[in-house]
Amino acid sequence: MAVCARLCGVGQSRRCRRRQRNNQQDQGSDSDMDEEEEERIVGQRLGDAGGCGGPDRGVATAGPSDAEEYVNRGGFLDRRSTGPPHPQSLVELPPELLVEIFSLLPGTVLPNVALVCKKFRQILNTETIWRRRCMEEFGMKEDLRKMEAGGVSSQDLYVKLLHPYRHILGLWQPDIGPYGGLLNVVVDGLFIIGWMYLPPHDPRVEDPMRRRPLFRIHMWESKKATVECMYGHKGPHKGDIQTVKKDEFSTKCNQTDHHRMPGGRQEEFRTWLEEEWGRTLEEIFHEHMQELILMKFIYTSQYDNCLTYRRIYLPPAMPSDLLQPGLFKGTYGSHGLEIVMLSFHGNSARATKLTGDPNVPAGQLTLDVDLSRPVVLPELEQQRNIEELSRLVQGVHEEVQREVEQQANGTPATVRQAAEGACGGASGAEEMEADHAACVDSCQSGPSSSSNPPEALPFILPLGVMARNEVYPRTCRKCFYGTGLIAGHGFTSPERTPGLFVLFDEDRFGFIWLELKSFSLYSRLTDHLAHAHAPNMERFEAMLRNMQSWTS
């Protein structure tokens, strides 16, 4: 009764005016409802609304100002104006104004509105309402006209395709052992498509990402949603999608023979190698790299696109961040290019792997950068000396180790005390303090704190440091101490090794792995990724913890 009273404009102490009016009419009218029955059906779930379908009734559309005035006044139009009396309840409003009001409601609540009375149910058959929902909630525009021209209404599109599969839109990480991946499910034209994002061919880290469709869902050939597998080279074929639990779903191919090629596994491997690496096996001279490539093909091809996906989020951005967080492509030696997620947590910048390898799998924290410990680079000629760079970074690393030990023993330690211990006296402490003061202020300020970027500093890699891509920036903005994760095959004996984080600009950074004498260059992934932002920082950090547990 409370819901009916709210919709009809009466209080609980008075009898419903709609009920009083209907008592004077034909008792067999479809709009007559028992009070208890009204409360029951209005509270029913979305799936119980079976009377929402139907053709466009051709109801005219009112201007948005009338509907907004109605909503802003708490559900009633202004009664103080002169002229004819205004409607005193929602059901007394003209149909064209109800169309505009219902168009402002989320599509998920419209089936419950249709259960209130016959008038509402008839008005909700208006295509204008559902067309607006498709456009505002899923970004569909010109594609709707094509769909309607093919005989599929906007209401059917929303109720049978967009709404049932809305929970799989966004970013996902497939469970492919240590290799991981990045899947983006989007409304793409007349389809919902799952795009697998692949890094550019090694070592072209600044090239755009590649995309490969894994599945699609559409209503093009029938009045119900159809799931198709897109894996292989024989075109779309039957597939299935199952929701395992919240933030997790699985895909299954029902015709895996479409994945096979006439030339057998050898032809499949050659085709996969050309797509994955952009070259033939004969062009890869490094024997260890050949083994890694063959291992990845054998491991990943066994799934036949029958995979489980877990939801991931883009990191939230804060004004104090050193640069815009997000996804980056990075070089990882013989393992090729991999995708990492850069996020900021107070004085720490962290890069988490979304794609991985047999040594350090996806989901692990590949880089951990301490933004409170800047490193001042020496003159350009001295930068060529790996020993000089190692001395700078190793000094900070030993300082951090001592602080950790002192905190473990319950002894508080300041940066100055640790610096004095590391440098053997006041003169060494003064030198380190001067270096720290030279850039600590600028290091703590994010990109929004100043309209002018920091002055570019000359940068060059030390002699003996290997780089997959010889084309790297020759100037940088800032440098920080950090650690990188290394491990043996199968993620054995993992350890964090010191290195230097180098910020080049808003879209590129690098990391020098001192122990490996190797350099990784990272470039921002610039693709627009919808439905991917984390609701809050707590949810994002919980996701990071879960990612590490998936592959540990």
Side-chain angles (χ1 to χ4, degrees):
M1 180 61 191
V3 178
C4 184
R6 184 169 64 254
L7 290 173
C8 299
V10 299
Q12 293 188 10
S13 61
R14 301 170 59 189
R15 295 187 58 82
C16 177
R17 291 176 181 166
R18 183 175 62 81
R19 182 179 177 89
Q20 293 174 351
R21 182 174 62 252
N22 291 339
N23 286 339
Q24 301 173 2
Q25 299 175 355
D26 184 7
Q27 296 297 322
S29 172
D30 291 338
S31 62
D32 285 336
M33 294 184 186
D34 180 71
E35 291 182 2
E36 290 77 9
E37 181 68 5
E38 286 177 345
E39 283 189 311
R40 183 184 66 82
I41 63 175
V42 172
Q44 284 180 338
R45 306 175 72 101
L46 175 64
D48 297 332
C52 294
D56 192 339
R57 301 292 181 180
V59 180
T61 303
S65 59
D66 293 336
E68 291 173 358
E69 180 186 356
Y70 183 86
V71 174
N72 292 336
R73 295 185 181 278
F76 298 99
L77 295 176
D78 191 356
R79 304 179 185 179
R80 296 171 296 178
S81 60
T82 60
H86 289 298
Q88 301 301 305
S89 66
L90 190 60
V91 292
E92 295 176 4
L93 290 175
E96 61 271 20
L97 187 54
L98 286 175
V99 167
E100 186 64 29
I101 293 174
F102 293 163
S103 297
L104 300 174
L105 299 176
T108 53
V109 306
L110 293 181
N112 282 342
V113 176
L115 293 171
V116 173
C117 63
K118 182 178 180 179
K119 180 178 181 179
F120 287 4
R121 185 165 64 250
Q122 291 176 339
I123 291 174
L124 283 172
N125 289 330
T126 306
E127 277 291 280
T128 304
I129 298 174
W130 299 97
R131 188 180 298 119
R132 184 167 178 176
R133 289 298 91 219
C134 293
M135 293 173 61
E136 293 187 359
E137 295 182 23
F138 299 98
M140 300 192 70
K141 295 180 180 178
E142 297 298 326
D143 301 313
L144 288 175
R145 294 189 177 91
K146 299 178 183 178
M147 208 73 179
E148 292 168 357
V152 179
S153 66
S154 298
Q155 182 177 357
D156 285 339
L157 183 66
Y158 187 98
V159 173
K160 299 179 181 179
L161 177 65
L162 299 178
H163 177 76
Y165 290 98
R166 73 193 185 284
H167 62 281
I168 69 170
L169 298 177
L171 288 183
W172 304 84
Q173 186 179 44
D175 184 4
I176 315 180
Y179 298 103
L182 178 64
L183 180 81
N184 188 27
V185 183
V186 297
V187 177
D188 194 334
L190 303 176
F191 303 89
I192 293 178
I193 300 182
W195 293 100
M196 180 68 82
Y197 275 69
L198 305 172
H201 293 141
D202 181 52
R204 300 193 293 269
V205 68
E206 297 196 41
D207 284 3
M209 295 287 289
R210 298 174 295 130
R211 298 194 308 172
R212 178 187 303 161
L214 293 189
F215 63 84
R216 70 180 187 182
I217 316 169
H218 64 88
M219 294 180 58
W220 195 246
E221 299 173 354
S222 65
K223 291 300 179 89
K224 64 178 182 178
T226 301
V227 179
E228 293 178 330
C229 175
M230 302 290 288
Y231 191 78
H233 299 269
K234 296 183 180 179
H237 46 282
K238 293 181 180 180
D240 190 23
I241 291 180
Q242 297 178 345
T243 301
V244 181
K245 56 184 179 181
K246 183 181 179 181
D247 293 336
E248 185 174 315
F249 76 94
S250 297
T251 58
K252 179 182 179 183
C253 176
N254 297 331
Q255 294 177 294
T256 55
D257 56 297
H258 281 63
H259 305 168
R260 309 283 81 86
M261 302 188 75
R265 296 288 280 176
Q266 289 186 352
E267 182 181 0
E268 293 172 13
F269 175 65
R270 287 195 299 268
T271 303
W272 176 87
L273 185 61
E274 179 67 26
E275 294 176 349
E276 188 82 9
W277 290 83
R279 65 183 87 173
T280 64
L281 194 62
E282 291 74 22
E283 296 172 331
I284 302 174
F285 302 105
H286 199 291
E287 183 177 350
H288 179 58
M289 183 180 291
Q290 291 181 350
E291 294 175 355
L292 292 173
I293 291 173
L294 184 59
M295 184 187 309
K296 184 175 182 179
F297 169 74
I298 294 174
Y299 193 98
T300 57
S301 61
Q302 66 179 332
Y303 286 91
D304 266 336
N305 204 27
C306 299
L307 297 168
T308 297
Y309 299 88
R310 299 182 180 93
R311 183 178 294 280
I312 58 178
Y313 297 109
L314 292 178
M318 300 293 290
S320 59
D321 291 344
L322 182 67
L323 71 158
Q324 182 73 19
L327 306 184
F328 291 78
K329 306 152 285 182
T331 56
Y332 279 86
S334 301
H335 299 293
L337 300 187
E338 299 184 8
I339 306 173
V340 303
M341 176 185 292
L342 180 68
S343 58
F344 293 90
H345 311 261
N347 287 331
S348 177
R350 300 171 186 170
T352 304
K353 281 191 171 187
L354 296 186
T355 61
D357 52 69
N359 289 64
V360 179
Q364 295 300 315
L365 182 63
T366 179
L367 302 180
D368 191 1
V369 183
D370 190 342
L371 301 179
S372 67
R373 301 181 187 275
V375 175
V376 179
L377 293 177
E379 296 296 330
L380 195 60
E381 286 302 318
Q382 290 182 302
Q383 291 184 32
R384 298 179 183 272
N385 187 347
I386 184 65
E387 300 299 331
E388 176 66 17
L389 181 62
S390 297
R391 184 189 67 81
L392 289 173
V393 176
Q394 194 64 34
V396 180
H397 183 66
E398 292 174 357
E399 173 189 331
V400 172
Q401 294 296 104
R402 278 193 298 272
E403 289 186 6
V404 171
E405 293 176 359
Q406 290 173 346
Q407 290 176 1
N409 296 331
T411 304
T414 64
V415 175
R416 178 174 298 178
Q417 290 170 337
E420 290 176 355
C423 301
S427 60
E430 291 172 359
E431 179 182 353
M432 180 170 291
E433 184 176 348
D435 290 344
H436 187 274
C439 49
V440 68
D441 292 337
S442 61
C443 295
Q444 297 304 316
S445 60
S448 61
S449 61
S450 175
S451 58
N452 298 322
E455 181 181 355
L457 305 172
F459 173 82
I460 192 169
L461 285 176
L463 296 176
V465 173
M466 297 179 297
R468 296 289 295 172
N469 196 330
E470 294 296 335
V471 181
Y472 62 89
R474 292 307 195 267
T475 60
C476 67
R477 293 183 181 179
K478 302 171 185 176
C479 296
F480 299 90
Y481 159 82
T483 60
L485 182 61
I486 61 175
H489 186 84
F491 198 42
T492 56
S493 305
E495 62 173 314
R496 305 210 67 86
T497 181
L500 182 69
F501 176 89
V502 184
L503 175 62
F504 295 115
D505 51 44
E506 271 294 309
D507 297 321
R508 292 177 298 178
F509 65 87
F511 191 80
I512 300 178
W513 308 73
L514 293 178
E515 183 174 334
L516 303 178
K517 292 186 177 179
S518 176
F519 172 71
S520 293
L521 177 64
Y522 300 83
S523 177
R524 184 181 298 276
L525 192 155
T526 57
D527 301 66
H528 174 67
L529 303 173
H531 306 283
H533 292 280
N536 49 59
M537 195 63 182
E538 290 73 18
R539 287 280 295 274
F540 177 76
E541 291 181 342
M543 178 210 71
L544 288 182
R545 291 191 296 270
N546 291 334
M547 286 178 62
Q548 293 185 16
S549 67
W550 299 338
T551 56
S552 297

